[in-house]
Amino acid sequence: MSHDLVTVLCHLGHVATSQQLAGIGASRRSVKSAVDSGLIRHVAHGVFSCAHLDAPTLTALQVGGRVDCLTRLSQLGIWSGIARPGLHLRLRPHHHQRRLAPGASIHWSRAFHCWAPVFEVSPFDAVLQALSCLDDVDALACLESALFMRFITEDDLEELLRLAPDHLRALLRLLDRGAQSGFETFSRVGFIRAGFRVATQFYVTGAGRVDMLVNGCVGIETDGEEWHGPERFLPDRSKDREVERQGIRVLRLARPHIFDTWPTTLETVRRMVNDAEDAAAWKRRS
């Protein structure tokens, strides 16, 4: 019965009350046996969950809340900032916590969207809350990431932009639907703020799309660890060779070049742009 109970609990959404389990014929003895064997967890008074739920979700269940904001974004793979997010939970206003959650950021508000799992908020609500918790460029990267990964729709985006904090409105005008990662967002905003013209997802015949084209002459590729592992080394270099063959300089940027040594990166790109523009001017004169 214990393993059958696990299957039933999964079908119920990974969480159930003792009354729900009794309603499908689970005896107190079988529930206790499943808890003692580690197949399910007793997370709060009269509340049981699947054992495979992660630590933030279990904490949310224990305090009677939902995983929210940066923690929820991190679970979904949406950009949640360069630093590892702490625990963010949402509780209804005036809600009495079942237990304390030391160190957690508690957001006391009701969700905009209904969401079936009782232990997490919707992607829309997580993004909306994150706009108030993240720094400006991180907030922009979060929106672009959620849109690219299709966790929010164009209608959701319009609503999120309407509800965004006032201090973000100017920056959010830079939103680019072509951005595919937080690395791209930070690089693009940095180049724009430095006075460069930036085109995103620029198509080069025979090579495919380049993340960014700066001033029409320097291609920028941003390499995140997730999508540019060892198996991508040769394809990426072959792509660079073809782009260079067609007269566009290419520079690949990794995380440290964007977040740790940006002034040097900016100086390098400025030199590449100047050299490319000088070469183009000399070619026109000759």
Side-chain angles (χ1 to χ4, degrees), residues 96-166:
H96 175 69
Q97 289 178 247
R98 295 191 182 118
R99 300 182 188 177
L100 295 177
S105 297
I106 304 296
H107 304 298
W108 299 91
S109 60
R110 294 187 180 277
F112 274 77
H113 287 189
C114 294
W115 193 247
V118 299
F119 46 78
E120 63 194 21
V121 302
S122 69
F124 177 96
D125 282 289
V127 170
L128 179 58
Q129 182 60 57
L131 295 181
S132 297
C133 290
L134 291 169
D135 293 335
D136 57 356
V137 184
D138 273 320
L140 178 62
C142 167
L143 269 178
E144 293 181 344
S145 173
L147 188 64
F148 171 70
M149 297 179 72
R150 300 184 179 180
F151 282 110
I152 60 173
T153 65
E154 285 289 339
D155 288 341
D156 291 334
L157 177 62
E158 184 177 338
E159 183 72 357
L160 286 165
L161 292 174
R162 186 182 68 81
L163 297 170
D166 289 342

Side-chain angles (χ1 to χ4, degrees), residues 11-73:
H11 284 310
L12 289 174
H14 309 294
V15 180
T17 64
S18 53
Q19 290 88 346
Q20 286 175 306
L21 294 177
I24 52 94
S27 66
R28 290 186 178 183
R29 183 175 180 178
S30 65
V31 172
K32 183 178 185 304
S33 174
V35 171
D36 291 343
S37 62
L39 294 173
I40 67 174
R41 292 176 182 267
H42 187 193
V43 293
H45 180 68
V47 181
F48 300 86
S49 78
C50 293
H52 60 75
L53 295 182
D54 61 17
T57 301
L58 291 173
T59 301
L61 289 168
Q62 288 166 355
V63 303
R66 294 175 179 244
V67 179
D68 191 16
C69 195
L70 307 187
T71 310
R72 179 75 176 120
L73 297 181

Side-chain angles (χ1 to χ4, degrees), residues 148-204:
F148 171 70
M149 297 179 72
R150 300 184 179 180
F151 282 110
I152 60 173
T153 65
E154 285 289 339
D155 288 341
D156 291 334
L157 177 62
E158 184 177 338
E159 183 72 357
L160 286 165
L161 292 174
R162 186 182 68 81
L163 297 170
D166 289 342
H167 72 275
L168 291 178
R169 296 193 183 281
L171 181 67
L172 293 182
R173 294 191 188 100
L174 297 179
L175 186 139
D176 191 310
R177 288 165 174 77
Q180 298 184 0
S181 72
F183 290 2
E184 287 184 35
T185 303
F186 269 83
S187 300
R188 185 184 81 252
V189 172
F191 291 135
I192 291 172
R193 286 176 169 174
F196 292 109
R197 303 185 310 278
V198 182
T200 58
Q201 298 303 313
F202 183 80
Y203 185 77
V204 178

